[in-house]
């Protein structure tokens, strides 16, 4: 089980890490583009990703909105599943597959289309930061902590939103 905010922040850090790997290699192989090109591309894609991040905070399902999912979150029975240790949720949120995919695809894109394609992992950063900010806002507004976890009694182990009290038992 992972805390939703930790999951989003970890994905943003992973995307920055993947960019830190793919960009130097892409620029070394294909050459460094003009600074103006880089800044325009980063600004454009940051604005585009921020718009998608804001859309994710709406109840509109086609835009990837999470608000409706947050509202449908079910209470987490502390004794039933148990909450992870405070730092354990953050460690579980990091995954090697996502940044590896981003780094490799950034490198392949840079080799095929040009060095600017190495920056594509940065597309995930604004969206994930906006989602983390909205998740934090939702948690504080409702006085709960939002979790993502697999529900074992579902046929395929569906990933579900759960919430718990801000206070952890035994503290």
């Amino acid at each position: 089980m992972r805390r939703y905010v930790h999951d989003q922040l970890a994905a943003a850090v992973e995307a920055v890490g993947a960019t830190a790997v793919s960009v130097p290699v892409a620029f070394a192989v294909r050459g460094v583009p003009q600074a103006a090109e880089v800044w325009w591309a980063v600004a454009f894609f940051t604005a585009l990703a921020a718009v998608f991040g804001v859309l994710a905070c709406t109840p509109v399902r086609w835009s990837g909105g999470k608000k409706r999912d947050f509202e449908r979150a079910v209470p987490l029975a502390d004794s039933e599943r148990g909450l992870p240790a405070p730092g354990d949720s953050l460690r579980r949120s990091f995954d090697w597959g996502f940044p590896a995919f981003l780094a490799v695809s950034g490198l392949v894109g840079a080799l095929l289309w040009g060095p600017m394609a190495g920056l594509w992992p940065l597309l995930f950063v604004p969206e994930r930061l906006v989602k983390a900010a909205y998740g934090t806002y939702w948690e504080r507004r409702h006085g709960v902590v939002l979790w993502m976890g697999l529900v074992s009694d579902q046929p395929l182990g569906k990933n579900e939103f759960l919430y718990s009290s801000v206070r952890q038992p035994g503290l």
Side-chain angles (χ1 to χ4, degrees):
M1 185 172 346
R2 303 173 320 270
R3 188 169 169 202
Y4 177 76
V5 173
H6 289 170
D7 193 57
Q8 299 305 313
L9 292 175
V13 169
E14 290 168 352
V16 169
T19 304
V21 170
S22 66
V23 166
V25 175
F27 287 1
V29 173
R30 295 292 303 255
V32 179
Q34 298 294 325
E37 288 179 352
V38 173
W39 288 115
W40 278 109
V42 169
F44 172 74
F45 288 119
T46 299
L48 184 67
V51 167
F52 284 116
V54 169
L55 286 174
C57 301
T58 65
V60 180
R61 184 60 116 188
W62 62 265
S63 69
K66 295 291 183 193
K67 183 177 181 180
R68 190 172 289 164
D69 293 334
F70 292 172
E71 299 296 333
R72 290 183 184 156
V74 296
L76 171 68
D78 295 336
S79 60
E80 180 183 319
R81 296 191 182 117
L83 295 174
D88 198 30
S89 169
L90 191 56
R91 277 190 298 278
R92 288 183 188 178
S93 295
F94 283 97
D95 180 25
W96 292 106
F98 183 62
F101 167 74
L102 290 178
V104 169
S105 61
L107 288 171
V108 169
L111 294 175
L112 293 177
W113 294 293
M116 295 297 288
L119 294 170
W120 100 271
L122 289 179
L123 282 173
F124 293 92
V125 175
E127 177 188 7
R128 297 301 176 116
L129 291 178
V130 169
K131 286 181 178 180
Y134 180 68
T136 302
Y137 166 76
W138 191 90
E139 287 178 344
R140 293 191 188 259
R141 192 169 138 232
H142 290 86
V144 297
V145 176
L146 195 59
W147 299 90
M148 291 173 35
L150 293 176
V151 179
S152 59
D153 58 348
Q154 295 287 340
L156 299 175
K158 181 183 170 199
N159 205 5
E160 183 175 31
F161 285 104
L162 310 156
Y163 67 86
S164 67
S165 170
V166 174
R167 292 185 175 182
Q168 292 186 359
L171 294 179

